[in-house]
Amino acid sequence: MRQVDMTQIDLSIGTVVKTGCDFVAEEVPLKIIVNNVYSFVIWCSPSQFKELTVGYLFAEEILNSIDEIENLTLDEAENVCQVQFKASINVVTRMENRRWSARIVPLIKKSTSTYEHDDKIATVHSDLTVNVQTILTAVCQLNECAKGFKATGGLHDSGLFTADGTMVAFSEDVGRHNAVDKVIGEGLLSQINFTQCFMIITGRVPGDMIYKTAKAGLPIVVSVTAALNSGISSAQKANITLVGFAREKRINIYTHQKRITT
């Protein structure tokens, strides 16, 4: 976050004008270089660059396992993360067949209410069940960790939790998709068993976000805000339990309710 000067006008108790400082969320470009040939630039919060790199490559079908990486280095001064794959991995083919996460669909394609890549979405297999009170307690824990959001109001948060509500990964970012990539990247680097975890996010849940979580094998996705219709249809197909509006003492379950117990 960054401190900036501001002028505030408050009409709640008359016209009050005062100057001071405010904290704002910071956004910087992260350059990802793969095998010294391919490069990407992601605008993100200046934190967890390695986790974001791993999570992004994983979500884009370029990386399938953390074991495929020979070397992962970060130049913090230049915001450059370099990834070298092992010689046995055909990176050229991976790049040709990557998922391409662009949310713009050409006009020649028929419009649909479901996510474009639903035909390729993974099916999650997990026996995980979680008590609804554990979910609500975990939401409170996520909120307590959200120091950047509390200071700026401009960040999204994401966390991974085990069935008993223990937090095993946490991320903050200006982008809700980045926050998910970061927390999945942290899970991959820490070799977390995703099938025995649930994820909580603070942003809306569209279909492409479910695609990311399905590839990781996460069986339960919880949002403190809304699920979109594309997210619901993708979760239904991927066998993911999708929960929305997890606040205070209630939740909305949209798909595969069997994993949530009372």
Side-chain angles (χ1 to χ4, degrees), residues 28-32 42 44-55 72 74-81 173 182 189:
V28 299
L30 167 66
K31 186 174 184 180
I32 301 171
I42 300 176
C44 60
S45 297
S47 65
Q48 294 180 293
F49 285 150
K50 284 187 176 181
E51 289 82 355
L52 176 56
T53 296
V54 170
L72 178 66
L74 174 63
D75 183 343
E76 295 184 359
E78 298 294 330
N79 293 352
V80 175
C81 195
D173 199 274
K182 282 182 176 180
L189 290 169

PDB file of all heavy atoms in Angstrom, residues 28-32 42 44-55 72 74-81 173 182 189:
ATOM      1  N   VAL A  28       1.531  -2.909  -9.459  1.00  0.00           N
ATOM      2  CA  VAL A  28       2.801  -2.875 -10.191  1.00  0.00           C
ATOM      3  C   VAL A  28       2.798  -3.977 -11.252  1.00  0.00           C
ATOM      4  O   VAL A  28       2.055  -4.951 -11.150  1.00  0.00           O
ATOM      5  CB  VAL A  28       4.000  -3.088  -9.234  1.00  0.00           C
ATOM      6  CG1 VAL A  28       4.071  -1.997  -8.181  1.00  0.00           C
ATOM      7  CG2 VAL A  28       3.940  -4.469  -8.591  1.00  0.00           C
ATOM      8  N   PRO A  29       3.643  -3.829 -12.288  1.00  0.00           N
ATOM      9  CA  PRO A  29       3.740  -4.901 -13.293  1.00  0.00           C
ATOM     10  C   PRO A  29       4.727  -5.979 -12.856  1.00  0.00           C
ATOM     11  O   PRO A  29       5.847  -5.681 -12.426  1.00  0.00           O
ATOM     12  CB  PRO A  29       4.243  -4.166 -14.535  1.00  0.00           C
ATOM     13  CG  PRO A  29       5.032  -3.012 -13.989  1.00  0.00           C
ATOM     14  CD  PRO A  29       4.379  -2.622 -12.689  1.00  0.00           C
ATOM     15  N   LEU A  30       4.299  -7.235 -12.945  1.00  0.00           N
ATOM     16  CA  LEU A  30       5.183  -8.372 -12.715  1.00  0.00           C
ATOM     17  C   LEU A  30       5.449  -9.030 -14.065  1.00  0.00           C
ATOM     18  O   LEU A  30       4.519  -9.419 -14.765  1.00  0.00           O
ATOM     19  CB  LEU A  30       4.544  -9.383 -11.764  1.00  0.00           C
ATOM     20  CG  LEU A  30       5.239 -10.754 -11.688  1.00  0.00           C
ATOM     21  CD1 LEU A  30       6.634 -10.625 -11.088  1.00  0.00           C
ATOM     22  CD2 LEU A  30       4.396 -11.756 -10.900  1.00  0.00           C
ATOM     23  N   LYS A  31       6.724  -9.156 -14.417  1.00  0.00           N
ATOM     24  CA  LYS A  31       7.088  -9.819 -15.664  1.00  0.00           C
ATOM     25  C   LYS A  31       7.496 -11.252 -15.365  1.00  0.00           C
ATOM     26  O   LYS A  31       8.380 -11.507 -14.551  1.00  0.00           O
ATOM     27  CB  LYS A  31       8.232  -9.081 -16.367  1.00  0.00           C
ATOM     28  CG  LYS A  31       8.553  -9.647 -17.748  1.00  0.00           C
ATOM     29  CD  LYS A  31       9.586  -8.805 -18.471  1.00  0.00           C
ATOM     30  CE  LYS A  31       9.835  -9.318 -19.885  1.00  0.00           C
ATOM     31  NZ  LYS A  31      10.845  -8.496 -20.613  1.00  0.00           N
ATOM     32  N   ILE A  32       6.837 -12.179 -16.038  1.00  0.00           N
ATOM     33  CA  ILE A  32       7.133 -13.606 -15.891  1.00  0.00           C
ATOM     34  C   ILE A  32       7.828 -14.075 -17.165  1.00  0.00           C
ATOM     35  O   ILE A  32       7.303 -13.887 -18.272  1.00  0.00           O
ATOM     36  CB  ILE A  32       5.849 -14.427 -15.656  1.00  0.00           C
ATOM     37  CG1 ILE A  32       5.131 -13.940 -14.393  1.00  0.00           C
ATOM     38  CG2 ILE A  32       6.171 -15.914 -15.564  1.00  0.00           C
ATOM     39  CD1 ILE A  32       3.754 -14.551 -14.212  1.00  0.00           C
ATOM     40  N   ILE A  42       1.820  -9.235 -15.695  1.00  0.00           N
ATOM     41  CA  ILE A  42       0.599  -9.206 -14.908  1.00  0.00           C
ATOM     42  C   ILE A  42       0.655  -7.997 -13.980  1.00  0.00           C
ATOM     43  O   ILE A  42       1.642  -7.804 -13.257  1.00  0.00           O
ATOM     44  CB  ILE A  42       0.448 -10.487 -14.067  1.00  0.00           C
ATOM     45  CG1 ILE A  42       0.404 -11.723 -14.968  1.00  0.00           C
ATOM     46  CG2 ILE A  42      -0.811 -10.427 -13.212  1.00  0.00           C
ATOM     47  CD1 ILE A  42       0.353 -13.027 -14.192  1.00  0.00           C
ATOM     48  N   CYS A  44      -0.379  -6.383 -10.646  1.00  0.00           N
ATOM     49  CA  CYS A  44      -0.753  -7.036  -9.396  1.00  0.00           C
ATOM     50  C   CYS A  44      -0.242  -6.228  -8.215  1.00  0.00           C
ATOM     51  O   CYS A  44       0.494  -5.256  -8.368  1.00  0.00           O
ATOM     52  CB  CYS A  44      -0.171  -8.444  -9.357  1.00  0.00           C
ATOM     53  SG  CYS A  44       1.647  -8.472  -9.464  1.00  0.00           S
ATOM     54  N   SER A  45      -0.618  -6.657  -7.024  1.00  0.00           N
ATOM     55  CA  SER A  45      -0.054  -6.073  -5.803  1.00  0.00           C
ATOM     56  C   SER A  45       1.389  -6.545  -5.632  1.00  0.00           C
ATOM     57  O   SER A  45       1.728  -7.663  -6.011  1.00  0.00           O
ATOM     58  CB  SER A  45      -0.885  -6.498  -4.589  1.00  0.00           C
ATOM     59  OG  SER A  45      -2.199  -6.001  -4.688  1.00  0.00           O
ATOM     60  N   PRO A  46       2.254  -5.706  -5.067  1.00  0.00           N
ATOM     61  CA  PRO A  46       3.676  -6.062  -4.946  1.00  0.00           C
ATOM     62  C   PRO A  46       3.957  -7.024  -3.797  1.00  0.00           C
ATOM     63  O   PRO A  46       4.623  -6.678  -2.813  1.00  0.00           O
ATOM     64  CB  PRO A  46       4.344  -4.698  -4.729  1.00  0.00           C
ATOM     65  CG  PRO A  46       3.296  -3.881  -4.047  1.00  0.00           C
ATOM     66  CD  PRO A  46       1.986  -4.321  -4.626  1.00  0.00           C
ATOM     67  N   SER A  47       3.444  -8.232  -3.913  1.00  0.00           N
ATOM     68  CA  SER A  47       3.672  -9.252  -2.889  1.00  0.00           C
ATOM     69  C   SER A  47       3.474 -10.630  -3.513  1.00  0.00           C
ATOM     70  O   SER A  47       2.770 -10.770  -4.520  1.00  0.00           O
ATOM     71  CB  SER A  47       2.697  -9.081  -1.711  1.00  0.00           C
ATOM     72  OG  SER A  47       1.370  -9.302  -2.135  1.00  0.00           O
ATOM     73  N   GLN A  48       4.118 -11.637  -2.943  1.00  0.00           N
ATOM     74  CA  GLN A  48       3.959 -13.038  -3.350  1.00  0.00           C
ATOM     75  C   GLN A  48       4.131 -13.212  -4.863  1.00  0.00           C
ATOM     76  O   GLN A  48       3.336 -13.870  -5.532  1.00  0.00           O
ATOM     77  CB  GLN A  48       2.582 -13.564  -2.915  1.00  0.00           C
ATOM     78  CG  GLN A  48       2.401 -13.641  -1.410  1.00  0.00           C
ATOM     79  CD  GLN A  48       1.029 -14.161  -1.024  1.00  0.00           C
ATOM     80  OE1 GLN A  48       0.027 -13.487  -1.267  1.00  0.00           O
ATOM     81  NE2 GLN A  48       0.969 -15.341  -0.442  1.00  0.00           N
ATOM     82  N   PHE A  49       5.202 -12.654  -5.412  1.00  0.00           N
ATOM     83  CA  PHE A  49       5.435 -12.750  -6.848  1.00  0.00           C
ATOM     84  C   PHE A  49       5.661 -14.199  -7.291  1.00  0.00           C
ATOM     85  O   PHE A  49       5.195 -14.615  -8.352  1.00  0.00           O
ATOM     86  CB  PHE A  49       6.634 -11.898  -7.246  1.00  0.00           C
ATOM     87  CG  PHE A  49       6.353 -10.416  -7.254  1.00  0.00           C
ATOM     88  CD1 PHE A  49       7.363  -9.513  -6.969  1.00  0.00           C
ATOM     89  CD2 PHE A  49       5.096  -9.926  -7.551  1.00  0.00           C
ATOM     90  CE1 PHE A  49       7.128  -8.141  -6.986  1.00  0.00           C
ATOM     91  CE2 PHE A  49       4.839  -8.565  -7.563  1.00  0.00           C
ATOM     92  CZ  PHE A  49       5.857  -7.672  -7.284  1.00  0.00           C
ATOM     93  N   LYS A  50       6.424 -14.959  -6.506  1.00  0.00           N
ATOM     94  CA  LYS A  50       6.663 -16.355  -6.877  1.00  0.00           C
ATOM     95  C   LYS A  50       5.371 -17.161  -6.844  1.00  0.00           C
ATOM     96  O   LYS A  50       5.105 -17.979  -7.732  1.00  0.00           O
ATOM     97  CB  LYS A  50       7.702 -16.983  -5.935  1.00  0.00           C
ATOM     98  CG  LYS A  50       9.129 -16.561  -6.201  1.00  0.00           C
ATOM     99  CD  LYS A  50      10.097 -17.349  -5.334  1.00  0.00           C
ATOM    100  CE  LYS A  50      11.545 -16.992  -5.659  1.00  0.00           C
ATOM    101  NZ  LYS A  50      12.498 -17.780  -4.829  1.00  0.00           N
ATOM    102  N   GLU A  51       4.565 -16.922  -5.823  1.00  0.00           N
ATOM    103  CA  GLU A  51       3.295 -17.646  -5.708  1.00  0.00           C
ATOM    104  C   GLU A  51       2.366 -17.310  -6.874  1.00  0.00           C
ATOM    105  O   GLU A  51       1.708 -18.197  -7.433  1.00  0.00           O
ATOM    106  CB  GLU A  51       2.615 -17.299  -4.380  1.00  0.00           C
ATOM    107  CG  GLU A  51       3.288 -17.874  -3.146  1.00  0.00           C
ATOM    108  CD  GLU A  51       4.481 -17.050  -2.667  1.00  0.00           C
ATOM    109  OE1 GLU A  51       4.843 -16.071  -3.347  1.00  0.00           O
ATOM    110  OE2 GLU A  51       5.037 -17.388  -1.598  1.00  0.00           O
ATOM    111  N   LEU A  52       2.317 -16.030  -7.241  1.00  0.00           N
ATOM    112  CA  LEU A  52       1.478 -15.626  -8.368  1.00  0.00           C
ATOM    113  C   LEU A  52       1.979 -16.254  -9.663  1.00  0.00           C
ATOM    114  O   LEU A  52       1.181 -16.721 -10.489  1.00  0.00           O
ATOM    115  CB  LEU A  52       1.466 -14.106  -8.492  1.00  0.00           C
ATOM    116  CG  LEU A  52       0.697 -13.522  -9.691  1.00  0.00           C
ATOM    117  CD1 LEU A  52      -0.752 -14.000  -9.707  1.00  0.00           C
ATOM    118  CD2 LEU A  52       0.750 -12.005  -9.670  1.00  0.00           C
ATOM    119  N   THR A  53       3.285 -16.277  -9.855  1.00  0.00           N
ATOM    120  CA  THR A  53       3.860 -16.876 -11.061  1.00  0.00           C
ATOM    121  C   THR A  53       3.480 -18.342 -11.191  1.00  0.00           C
ATOM    122  O   THR A  53       2.996 -18.790 -12.233  1.00  0.00           O
ATOM    123  CB  THR A  53       5.394 -16.739 -11.040  1.00  0.00           C
ATOM    124  OG1 THR A  53       5.737 -15.350 -11.075  1.00  0.00           O
ATOM    125  CG2 THR A  53       6.026 -17.443 -12.218  1.00  0.00           C
ATOM    126  N   VAL A  54       3.663 -19.097 -10.118  1.00  0.00           N
ATOM    127  CA  VAL A  54       3.348 -20.527 -10.143  1.00  0.00           C
ATOM    128  C   VAL A  54       1.848 -20.743 -10.335  1.00  0.00           C
ATOM    129  O   VAL A  54       1.423 -21.577 -11.151  1.00  0.00           O
ATOM    130  CB  VAL A  54       3.842 -21.197  -8.843  1.00  0.00           C
ATOM    131  CG1 VAL A  54       3.319 -22.627  -8.741  1.00  0.00           C
ATOM    132  CG2 VAL A  54       5.359 -21.191  -8.790  1.00  0.00           C
ATOM    133  N   GLY A  55       1.036 -19.985  -9.607  1.00  0.00           N
ATOM    134  CA  GLY A  55      -0.410 -20.147  -9.727  1.00  0.00           C
ATOM    135  C   GLY A  55      -0.923 -19.775 -11.100  1.00  0.00           C
ATOM    136  O   GLY A  55      -1.819 -20.442 -11.644  1.00  0.00           O
ATOM    137  N   LEU A  72      13.364 -21.481 -10.090  1.00  0.00           N
ATOM    138  CA  LEU A  72      12.429 -20.368  -9.963  1.00  0.00           C
ATOM    139  C   LEU A  72      13.143 -19.239  -9.238  1.00  0.00           C
ATOM    140  O   LEU A  72      13.498 -19.369  -8.078  1.00  0.00           O
ATOM    141  CB  LEU A  72      11.181 -20.809  -9.177  1.00  0.00           C
ATOM    142  CG  LEU A  72      10.105 -19.766  -8.901  1.00  0.00           C
ATOM    143  CD1 LEU A  72       9.454 -19.304 -10.193  1.00  0.00           C
ATOM    144  CD2 LEU A  72       9.046 -20.339  -7.954  1.00  0.00           C
ATOM    145  N   LEU A  74      13.574 -14.853  -8.519  1.00  0.00           N
ATOM    146  CA  LEU A  74      12.871 -13.573  -8.488  1.00  0.00           C
ATOM    147  C   LEU A  74      13.873 -12.432  -8.347  1.00  0.00           C
ATOM    148  O   LEU A  74      14.695 -12.430  -7.434  1.00  0.00           O
ATOM    149  CB  LEU A  74      11.881 -13.539  -7.322  1.00  0.00           C
ATOM    150  CG  LEU A  74      11.165 -12.207  -7.070  1.00  0.00           C
ATOM    151  CD1 LEU A  74      10.287 -11.820  -8.252  1.00  0.00           C
ATOM    152  CD2 LEU A  74      10.338 -12.281  -5.782  1.00  0.00           C
ATOM    153  N   ASP A  75      13.769 -11.476  -9.247  1.00  0.00           N
ATOM    154  CA  ASP A  75      14.520 -10.233  -9.147  1.00  0.00           C
ATOM    155  C   ASP A  75      13.575  -9.193  -8.564  1.00  0.00           C
ATOM    156  O   ASP A  75      12.753  -8.621  -9.286  1.00  0.00           O
ATOM    157  CB  ASP A  75      15.024  -9.810 -10.525  1.00  0.00           C
ATOM    158  CG  ASP A  75      15.882  -8.543 -10.485  1.00  0.00           C
ATOM    159  OD1 ASP A  75      15.822  -7.814  -9.468  1.00  0.00           O
ATOM    160  OD2 ASP A  75      16.600  -8.266 -11.464  1.00  0.00           O
ATOM    161  N   GLU A  76      13.663  -8.964  -7.263  1.00  0.00           N
ATOM    162  CA  GLU A  76      12.727  -8.075  -6.590  1.00  0.00           C
ATOM    163  C   GLU A  76      12.912  -6.618  -7.011  1.00  0.00           C
ATOM    164  O   GLU A  76      11.957  -5.840  -6.988  1.00  0.00           O
ATOM    165  CB  GLU A  76      12.884  -8.211  -5.075  1.00  0.00           C
ATOM    166  CG  GLU A  76      12.492  -9.591  -4.551  1.00  0.00           C
ATOM    167  CD  GLU A  76      12.550  -9.670  -3.046  1.00  0.00           C
ATOM    168  OE1 GLU A  76      12.912  -8.654  -2.412  1.00  0.00           O
ATOM    169  OE2 GLU A  76      12.229 -10.736  -2.494  1.00  0.00           O
ATOM    170  N   ALA A  77      14.105  -6.254  -7.402  1.00  0.00           N
ATOM    171  CA  ALA A  77      14.355  -4.871  -7.813  1.00  0.00           C
ATOM    172  C   ALA A  77      13.653  -4.539  -9.122  1.00  0.00           C
ATOM    173  O   ALA A  77      13.192  -3.415  -9.334  1.00  0.00           O
ATOM    174  CB  ALA A  77      15.851  -4.631  -7.950  1.00  0.00           C
ATOM    175  N   GLU A  78      13.559  -5.527 -10.022  1.00  0.00           N
ATOM    176  CA  GLU A  78      12.953  -5.304 -11.340  1.00  0.00           C
ATOM    177  C   GLU A  78      11.567  -5.919 -11.481  1.00  0.00           C
ATOM    178  O   GLU A  78      10.948  -5.808 -12.546  1.00  0.00           O
ATOM    179  CB  GLU A  78      13.881  -5.878 -12.428  1.00  0.00           C
ATOM    180  CG  GLU A  78      15.262  -5.231 -12.487  1.00  0.00           C
ATOM    181  CD  GLU A  78      15.188  -3.776 -12.903  1.00  0.00           C
ATOM    182  OE1 GLU A  78      14.260  -3.424 -13.652  1.00  0.00           O
ATOM    183  OE2 GLU A  78      16.067  -3.000 -12.474  1.00  0.00           O
ATOM    184  N   ASN A  79      11.096  -6.598 -10.438  1.00  0.00           N
ATOM    185  CA  ASN A  79       9.801  -7.291 -10.497  1.00  0.00           C
ATOM    186  C   ASN A  79       9.759  -8.295 -11.651  1.00  0.00           C
ATOM    187  O   ASN A  79       8.815  -8.330 -12.453  1.00  0.00           O
ATOM    188  CB  ASN A  79       8.637  -6.302 -10.640  1.00  0.00           C
ATOM    189  CG  ASN A  79       8.440  -5.442  -9.425  1.00  0.00           C
ATOM    190  OD1 ASN A  79       9.075  -5.656  -8.388  1.00  0.00           O
ATOM    191  ND2 ASN A  79       7.581  -4.445  -9.526  1.00  0.00           N
ATOM    192  N   VAL A  80      10.786  -9.124 -11.748  1.00  0.00           N
ATOM    193  CA  VAL A  80      10.884 -10.134 -12.800  1.00  0.00           C
ATOM    194  C   VAL A  80      11.044 -11.505 -12.152  1.00  0.00           C
ATOM    195  O   VAL A  80      11.932 -11.713 -11.321  1.00  0.00           O
ATOM    196  CB  VAL A  80      12.081  -9.869 -13.740  1.00  0.00           C
ATOM    197  CG1 VAL A  80      12.227 -11.004 -14.752  1.00  0.00           C
ATOM    198  CG2 VAL A  80      11.903  -8.539 -14.450  1.00  0.00           C
ATOM    199  N   CYS A  81      10.167 -12.427 -12.521  1.00  0.00           N
ATOM    200  CA  CYS A  81      10.242 -13.804 -12.018  1.00  0.00           C
ATOM    201  C   CYS A  81      10.559 -14.721 -13.195  1.00  0.00           C
ATOM    202  O   CYS A  81       9.824 -14.733 -14.191  1.00  0.00           O
ATOM    203  CB  CYS A  81       8.924 -14.198 -11.354  1.00  0.00           C
ATOM    204  SG  CYS A  81       9.055 -15.689 -10.341  1.00  0.00           S
ATOM    205  N   ASP A 173      -4.552  -9.185  -3.053  1.00  0.00           N
ATOM    206  CA  ASP A 173      -4.150  -8.598  -4.315  1.00  0.00           C
ATOM    207  C   ASP A 173      -5.239  -7.645  -4.800  1.00  0.00           C
ATOM    208  O   ASP A 173      -6.407  -7.768  -4.418  1.00  0.00           O
ATOM    209  CB  ASP A 173      -3.908  -9.676  -5.376  1.00  0.00           C
ATOM    210  CG  ASP A 173      -3.070  -9.163  -6.533  1.00  0.00           C
ATOM    211  OD1 ASP A 173      -3.632  -8.581  -7.485  1.00  0.00           O
ATOM    212  OD2 ASP A 173      -1.836  -9.318  -6.477  1.00  0.00           O
ATOM    213  N   LYS A 182      -2.454 -16.566  -6.527  1.00  0.00           N
ATOM    214  CA  LYS A 182      -1.440 -16.510  -5.474  1.00  0.00           C
ATOM    215  C   LYS A 182      -1.642 -17.601  -4.436  1.00  0.00           C
ATOM    216  O   LYS A 182      -0.686 -18.272  -4.022  1.00  0.00           O
ATOM    217  CB  LYS A 182      -1.470 -15.139  -4.789  1.00  0.00           C
ATOM    218  CG  LYS A 182      -0.795 -14.025  -5.559  1.00  0.00           C
ATOM    219  CD  LYS A 182      -0.826 -12.718  -4.770  1.00  0.00           C
ATOM    220  CE  LYS A 182      -0.076 -11.607  -5.492  1.00  0.00           C
ATOM    221  NZ  LYS A 182      -0.087 -10.333  -4.741  1.00  0.00           N
ATOM    222  N   LEU A 189       3.535 -24.613  -3.921  1.00  0.00           N
ATOM    223  CA  LEU A 189       4.893 -24.526  -3.395  1.00  0.00           C
ATOM    224  C   LEU A 189       5.028 -25.209  -2.035  1.00  0.00           C
ATOM    225  O   LEU A 189       6.088 -25.737  -1.695  1.00  0.00           O
ATOM    226  CB  LEU A 189       5.313 -23.060  -3.293  1.00  0.00           C
ATOM    227  CG  LEU A 189       5.557 -22.347  -4.632  1.00  0.00           C
ATOM    228  CD1 LEU A 189       5.691 -20.842  -4.427  1.00  0.00           C
ATOM    229  CD2 LEU A 189       6.809 -22.898  -5.314  1.00  0.00           C
TER     230      LEU A 189
END
